[in-house]
Amino acid sequence: MIRYTIIGAGPVGTLMGLLLAQRGHPVRLIERRADPRGAPPPAGRSINLALAARGLKAIEQAHLFERVAPHIIAMPGRMLHELNGALQFLPYGQNEREVIYAVGRDRLGATLIEAAAAHPGIELQFETRCLDLDPVAATLTLRDERSGATHCEPFEIALAADGAGSAVRAALAAQGYTRVREVPLAHDYKELTIPARGAAGNGATWALEPHALHIWPRGGYMLIALPNVDGSFTATLFLARDGDPGFDRLAGDLSVRELFAQQFADAARLMPDLEGQFRAHPQGQLGTLYCQGWQAAGRVLLLGDAAHAIVPFHGQGLNCGLEDCRLLDQLLQQHGAPAEALRRFEAERRPDTDAIAAMALENYVEMRDAVRSTQFAQRQRLAAEFERAFGGRFIPRYSMVMFHPEIPYREAQRRGAEQERLLDAFVQRFDYGSLHPPGLIYAQQLLQAAGL
Ligand code: FAD
């Protein structure tokens, strides 16, 4: 059996290792950080993520859903917080299955690592950093993070899941295999904690509705909050690096407390230590990574964020990386020789990762701005009515991305654009009226004309 070496034991590397080990391959997972099992979560950085159908399907493929399930919280819709404090709940889908889930990043990571550690075919090597890789000689340069000692090792197949700052990608780029273009976003982010009400472990409850993704959309910027299982929320402020308001000004004349009191008053009241957290927590940067040449010499492949990091506004970066694992597993099954599967992976997958990169950027404008308009809610209602009336022929784009892993991202993007044109035409004649005849008949004609 071929032995796989995986660089990076984040969620993507670990899930890929589990899928390969379940097919009988010996796997070695190399991770620069210390073993996360049993370690307390880093203070003030209980960062969480939205997990959706694509990620869950890959987790199910590795038979891990039961292990992950206790750590997830269903979020069936967005809770909009208006400036005057009014709340508006906008459901994401049509039924109780069309929900997304909040999950703690550390909890998810530790759960996958525990499963990998329990598998006899997987060897875990922590505190080992990959410094370099030579695809032709098939060697890795590794450094022991405790002793600082460096050594070289051979590998058969290397899968690089070492994240957005991938050292393997840098090595491949330096050797001419890979071309990389990074497009930074002009907006940064800051994570803050809304503490639980009551003592931890002793009837602690959430200070906001836990079954919702909370958004404070303010046009050019926004605050969001996702629930954690311990009763807290992780809130994230997305704001221009420089501007009015911008992170640069928060350090100067406009204080953090002022901005929050003016724009996010209900959230500010729930964060007594707002300024302290703001000072202590890092200001994170965001961007999109466009990379070509994911594969080298038929024995090295980039996966997950290492190949295609995106901005977080569709909640799909991790979902997309976990889907990479399921699809690569499928390709490896189809091709006897892994070299062929590795070569085909980028050709099959990059049109989809390019599509989700574009949709994730578009969704920032939707989340921080468009959701505020009455027209947005009306259009969402009309789209949901179309979906109910026409079954699989019309599915809102958000739903295709979040709830329909059988529809590739590029297809969701293409159909989404067709559907937008169709809704425009419908609204021109019937405004945001309902789909009763004669609207229904016109809608049918539009669908037919659009080839949907
Ligand atoms: P990582 O999670 O980055 O894991 C890489 C691993 O490799 C790490 O463990 C690292 O220590 C290790 N490593 C790195 N370099 C080396 C080296 N040289 N040698 C050895 N090991 C190394 N995605 C979603 O799906 N939903 C969301 O709601 C969401 N929200 C997000 C919010 C924010 C603010 C951000 C920044 C991202 C968000 N994402 C979200 C994206 C998501 O976090 C990433 O897509 C995901 O973590 C990628 O997983 P990965 O395993 O490819 O990389």
Side-chain angles (χ1 to χ4, degrees):
M1 274 301 218
I2 288 162
R3 182 176 195 241
Y4 286 83
T5 299
I6 298 178
I7 300 115
V12 171
T14 311
L15 189 81
M16 194 65 233
L18 280 157
L19 290 172
L20 290 166
Q22 285 165 9
R23 302 252 179 229
H25 292 283
V27 172
R28 186 165 166 234
L29 263 171
I30 294 173
E31 169 59 46
R32 70 175 179 199
R33 294 199 190 126
D35 189 340
R37 284 169 294 166
R45 293 209 79 203
S46 59
I47 311 159
N48 50 22
L49 300 157
L51 199 55
R54 290 173 203 269
L56 287 170
K57 186 166 179 181
I59 286 170
E60 275 161 11
Q61 169 96 2
H63 315 291
L64 290 171
F65 181 70
E66 274 69 33
R67 285 181 188 239
V68 172
H71 309 299
I72 63 179
I73 300 177
M75 299 185 293
R78 293 168 169 151
M79 184 73 83
L80 299 189
H81 294 244
E82 293 172 21
L83 200 54
N84 63 7
L87 298 178
Q88 194 194 351
F89 182 77
L90 298 178
Y92 281 131
Q94 297 271 12
N95 54 55
E96 72 281 2
R97 276 171 291 112
E98 294 193 339
V99 302
I100 60 174
Y101 298 91
V103 64
R105 186 188 288 273
D106 296 319
R107 209 42 255 158
L108 177 66
T111 303
L112 295 177
I113 292 281
E114 278 156 21
H119 198 292
I122 300 182
E123 181 196 335
L124 282 159
Q125 199 170 337
F126 292 102
E127 298 181 76
T128 307
R129 182 188 289 261
C130 174
L131 297 179
D132 203 1
L133 178 145
D134 182 338
V136 174
T139 54
L140 283 168
T141 309
L142 300 175
R143 182 173 74 205
D144 184 316
E145 293 288 78
R146 288 151 298 194
S147 67
T150 317
H151 68 284
C152 221
E153 279 189 21
F155 66 84
E156 263 185 278
I157 302 277
L159 302 179
D162 51 345
S166 170
V168 176
R169 189 183 66 234
L172 296 187
Q175 294 166 67
Y177 291 101
T178 301
R179 275 188 297 145
V180 181
R181 185 166 63 91
E182 289 179 63
V183 181
L185 198 72
H187 290 213
D188 287 352
Y189 72 97
K190 175 89 75 169
E191 270 154 345
L192 304 161
T193 299
I194 298 178
R197 280 210 174 114
N202 194 12
T205 59
W206 291 271
L208 298 167
E209 164 57 51
H211 294 295
L213 191 154
H214 293 262
I215 311 185
W216 290 258
R218 295 297 178 258
Y221 57 100
M222 68 178 180
L223 181 74
I224 66 166
L226 277 72
N228 294 308
V229 285
D230 66 359
S232 66
F233 276 84
T234 302
T236 311
L237 173 68
F238 294 96
L239 182 68
R241 219 174 354 269
D242 315 299
D244 186 15
F247 276 106
D248 60 338
R249 286 202 57 203
L250 291 182
D253 52 348
L254 177 64
S255 80
V256 174
R257 182 58 72 181
E258 272 170 329
L259 176 75
F260 273 69
Q262 285 164 15
Q263 300 294 336
F264 317 117
D266 52 347
R269 280 194 290 276
L270 303 174
M271 288 186 276
D273 183 28
L274 175 62
E275 289 94 333
Q277 287 197 48
F278 217 87
R279 271 193 304 276
H281 298 178
Q283 183 176 322
Q285 260 127 52
L286 301 164
T288 308
L289 178 102
Y290 301 95
C291 168
Q292 286 179 36
W294 297 358
Q295 171 285 134
R299 55 168 76 100
V300 182
L301 182 71
L302 304 172
L303 276 185
D305 271 18
H308 47 69
I310 60 176
V311 294
F313 306 112
H314 218 308
Q316 279 292 307
L318 174 66
N319 284 284
C320 175
L322 297 179
E323 189 174 62
D324 279 1
C325 301
R326 184 175 67 77
L327 298 175
L328 178 61
D329 179 55
Q330 231 169 49
L331 268 184
L332 287 165
Q333 291 307 299
Q334 284 162 14
H335 297 276
E340 190 48 32
L342 265 51
R343 287 196 180 98
R344 290 210 34 204
F345 185 70
E346 179 180 354
E348 297 202 359
R349 188 65 174 145
R350 193 151 53 78
D352 289 320
T353 60
D354 282 348
I356 189 58
M359 290 190 283
L361 281 163
E362 286 167 23
N363 228 44
Y364 188 25
V365 181
E366 174 170 322
M367 282 179 89
R368 73 180 196 221
D369 197 12
V371 285
R372 302 188 300 170
S373 73
T374 326
Q375 206 197 43
F376 179 85
Q378 285 175 328
R379 206 172 169 93
Q380 214 189 19
R381 255 193 305 276
L382 183 62
E385 230 187 303
F386 264 82
E387 186 179 18
R388 278 194 295 277
F390 299 110
R393 291 173 68 194
F394 188 109
I395 306 172
R397 188 175 92 175
Y398 183 87
S399 298
M400 285 192 272
V401 170
M402 302 307 269
F403 310 132
H404 288 272
E406 75 287 359
I407 302 177
Y409 289 123
R410 76 187 94 164
E411 185 64 9
Q413 189 185 33
R414 188 193 66 75
R415 281 172 63 175
E418 290 284 358
Q419 292 176 176
E420 283 307 307
R421 282 193 284 276
L422 187 154
L423 287 180
D424 285 343
F426 184 87
V427 166
Q428 253 184 9
R429 191 182 290 189
F430 290 96
D431 201 2
Y432 285 99
S434 76
L435 267 189
H436 292 304
L440 188 63
I441 296 161
Y442 185 51
Q444 252 157 352
Q445 289 167 354
L446 289 173
L447 278 165
Q448 214 150 17
L452 293 168

